[in-house]
């Protein structure tokens, strides 16, 4: 099968289209013919080994996993002898968690992994754009125990995680203020934001509003500045925190009456099935900025690396 392989960390041209062995499903696995994947901010970090700490987990001198890509949508081509939940021909979408391998024509995944039937109302490109931002936003909003009528501030509302967080917070009945640039105001309004702050014109930390939940999806403002906008017993979500913000957040959580949520998320079937239900209920719409063919994945990486994408960048396989 064809796959995008990288054998060294570096710029987008380390990604090479190669012929590799097609995987064979084990007894509890399904083989999926991938129709679409996506380039996420996490893939760019792994390709570049940025931050350096990536190397401690994914290979010190060169990557131990040679095919990136964590999201996929496609068709079940064959199943292992013990598989019960899926059958040949099912249209499915999901996330590989830390296993990767979705920049390829085929992938094998356990049937109980982060996997669900694709809603028939959306394309494979759209389905592949859901799990990365969707599951991250869902994980943190559930942990924050978000409730109806709570005031929620989402910083970075136009990215993959942010655009999912806006829609999920709305689906829980929250009142959402989204922070984005001028170019993305229409987008964040179209996915449900009640109020929008254009960060190129206004400093949201100076507007005097207090929130029940602050979801910082892009890590562009200091923890101490944004904490001042959080009510007592409120929750701060730092989904994009680096090491220093994680420690600041943990300290803030211990020293103030505020809950701070951070850390890496794990992908499980329940969350993807929940998101499928929301799509079917028309409460969640995947946001796609651009689509590239698999052969041009280097260009897609270079675009995502600029940090200005709107929602997701889909890859047609
Ligand atoms: N904790 C976890 O397990 C987990 C899971 C998923 C992702 N993440 C992390 O979350 C971060 C975000 O991921 P993502 O994929 O959502 O990023 P992304 O899609 O690349 O975010 C880019 C968006 O952020 C906007 N933006 C840039 N600067 C901004 C600012 N100062 N204020 C508001 N918006 C701004 C950009 O638009 P403009 O430039 O036009 O403003 C663009 O729309 C990454 O660091 C990723 O590693 C963590």
């Amino acid at each position: 099968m064809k796959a995008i392989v990288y054998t060294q960390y570096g710029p987008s041209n380390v990604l090479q289209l190669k012929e590799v062995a097609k995987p064979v499903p084990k007894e509890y696995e399904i083989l999926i013919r991938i129709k679409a994947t996506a380039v996420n901010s996490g893939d760019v970090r792994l390709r570049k080994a940025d931050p350096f700490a990536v190397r401690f987990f994914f290979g010190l001198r060169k990557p131990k996993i040679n095919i990136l890509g964590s999201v996929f949508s496609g068709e079940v081509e064959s199943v292992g002898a013990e598989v019960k939940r899926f059958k040949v021909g099912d249209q499915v979408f999901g996330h590989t968690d830390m296993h990767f391998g979705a920049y390829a024509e085929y992938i094998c995944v356990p049937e109980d992994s982060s996997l669900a039937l694709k809603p028939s109302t959306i394309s494979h490109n759209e389905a592949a754009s859901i799990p990365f931002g969707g599951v991250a936003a869902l994980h943190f909003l559930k942990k924050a125990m978000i409730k109806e009528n709570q005031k929620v501030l989402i910083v970075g509302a136009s990215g993959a995680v942010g655009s999912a967080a806006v829609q999920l917070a709305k689906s829980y009945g929250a009142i959402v203020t989204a922070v984005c640039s001028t170019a993305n105001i229409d987008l964040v309004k179209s996915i449900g934001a009640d109020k929008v702050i254009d960060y190129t014109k206004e400093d949201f930390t100076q507007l005097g509003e207090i929130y029940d939940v602050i979801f910082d999806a892009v890590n562009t403002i200091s923890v101490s500045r944004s904490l001042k906008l959080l009510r007592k017993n409120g929750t701060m979500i730092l989904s994009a925190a680096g090491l220093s913000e994680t420690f600041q957040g943990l300290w803030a959580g211990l020293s103030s009456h505020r809950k701070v949520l951070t850390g890496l998320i794990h992908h499980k079937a329940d969350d993807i099935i929940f998101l499928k239900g929301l799509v079917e209920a028309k409460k969640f719409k995947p946001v796609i900025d651009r689509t590239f063919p698999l052969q041009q994945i280097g260009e897609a990486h270079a675009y995502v690396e600029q940090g200005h994408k709107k929602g997701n960048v889909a890859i047609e396989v």
Side-chain angles (χ1 to χ4, degrees):
M1 67 168 183
K2 289 189 175 54
I4 301 296
V5 174
Y6 85 129
T7 52
Q8 53 177 318
Y9 298 118
S12 56
N13 62 10
V14 296
L15 300 167
Q16 300 285 323
L17 183 69
K18 295 226 163 107
E19 200 63 44
V20 301
K22 184 175 164 183
V24 177
K26 299 194 184 86
E27 52 184 1
Y28 290 101
E29 287 184 340
I30 65 174
L31 174 70
I32 299 164
R33 162 83 176 92
I34 297 179
K35 304 268 179 82
T37 177
V39 175
N40 296 306
S41 50
D43 301 349
V44 173
R45 286 174 187 272
L46 289 194
R47 191 204 75 223
K48 294 167 65 180
D50 176 20
F52 189 84
V54 161
R55 293 174 186 260
F56 299 127
F57 301 95
F58 292 94
L60 210 50
R61 297 183 55 194
K62 53 187 186 168
K64 285 190 273 195
I65 292 173
N66 298 118
I67 303 178
L68 285 172
S70 59
V71 293
F72 56 84
S73 181
E75 182 171 317
V76 176
E77 177 151 305
S78 66
V79 299
E82 300 297 330
V83 167
K84 306 270 184 307
R85 285 181 58 210
F86 298 96
K87 59 180 189 315
V88 172
D90 280 349
Q91 308 291 304
V92 293
F93 74 115
H95 195 289
T96 65
D97 206 20
M98 288 297 178
H99 301 290
F100 300 92
Y103 289 177
E105 288 181 311
Y106 293 91
I107 193 167
C108 281
V109 295
E111 68 162 339
D112 60 354
S113 60
S114 172
L115 192 66
L117 290 174
K118 178 181 83 64
S120 58
T121 48
I122 59 170
S123 67
H124 284 290
N125 288 353
E126 288 175 307
S129 302
I130 293 174
F132 180 81
V135 172
L138 179 62
H139 166 90
F140 285 111
L141 288 172
K142 277 201 305 195
K143 267 188 114 174
M145 292 191 283
I146 185 170
K147 289 181 195 66
E148 207 173 343
N149 292 325
Q150 280 191 327
K151 283 175 69 182
V152 178
L153 179 77
I154 297 170
V155 185
S158 53
V161 177
S163 62
V166 169
Q167 300 186 71
L168 287 166
K170 285 303 297 174
S171 77
Y172 282 105
I175 302 156
V176 173
T177 300
V179 180
C180 66
S181 64
T182 316
N184 292 321
I185 293 175
D186 288 346
L187 165 70
V188 299
K189 280 188 180 162
S190 76
I191 54 174
D194 298 289
K195 196 174 158 196
V196 182
I197 299 171
D198 179 346
Y199 74 82
T200 68
K201 302 210 167 107
E202 281 181 299
D203 177 352
F204 68 87
T205 64
Q206 302 298 319
L207 299 177
E209 287 280 336
I210 300 293
Y211 299 93
D212 299 294
V213 177
I214 298 179
F215 193 142
D216 183 355
V218 281
N219 199 27
T220 51
I221 195 102
S222 80
V223 176
S224 56
R225 280 180 71 198
S226 37
L227 262 181
K228 289 183 186 138
L229 317 180
L230 193 61
R231 76 157 167 78
K232 202 174 161 192
N233 299 321
T235 303
M236 166 79 78
I237 297 169
L238 301 173
S239 64
L243 208 54
S244 127
E245 296 80 20
T246 301
F247 284 121
Q248 284 178 58
L250 290 174
W251 173 245
L254 291 171
S255 58
S256 70
H257 290 278
R258 283 151 184 94
K259 188 157 95 178
V260 179
L261 302 176
T262 180
L264 269 185
I265 68 147
H266 286 291
H267 288 257
K268 339 179 267 307
D270 288 357
D271 288 338
I272 202 87
I273 292 167
F274 180 85
L275 289 169
K276 167 190 185 291
L278 278 190
V279 171
E280 287 169 343
K282 300 209 181 313
K283 289 185 176 166
F284 191 95
K285 191 171 76 172
V287 176
I288 296 187
D289 180 345
R290 294 188 187 179
T291 302
F292 294 81
L294 186 66
Q295 293 80 348
Q296 286 173 20
I297 207 155
E299 281 95 317
H301 262 248
Y303 179 62
V304 171
E305 198 169 340
Q306 290 168 22
H308 302 297
K309 72 176 160 67
K310 299 172 200 293
N312 300 276
V313 167
I315 303 293
E316 236 164 49
V317 181

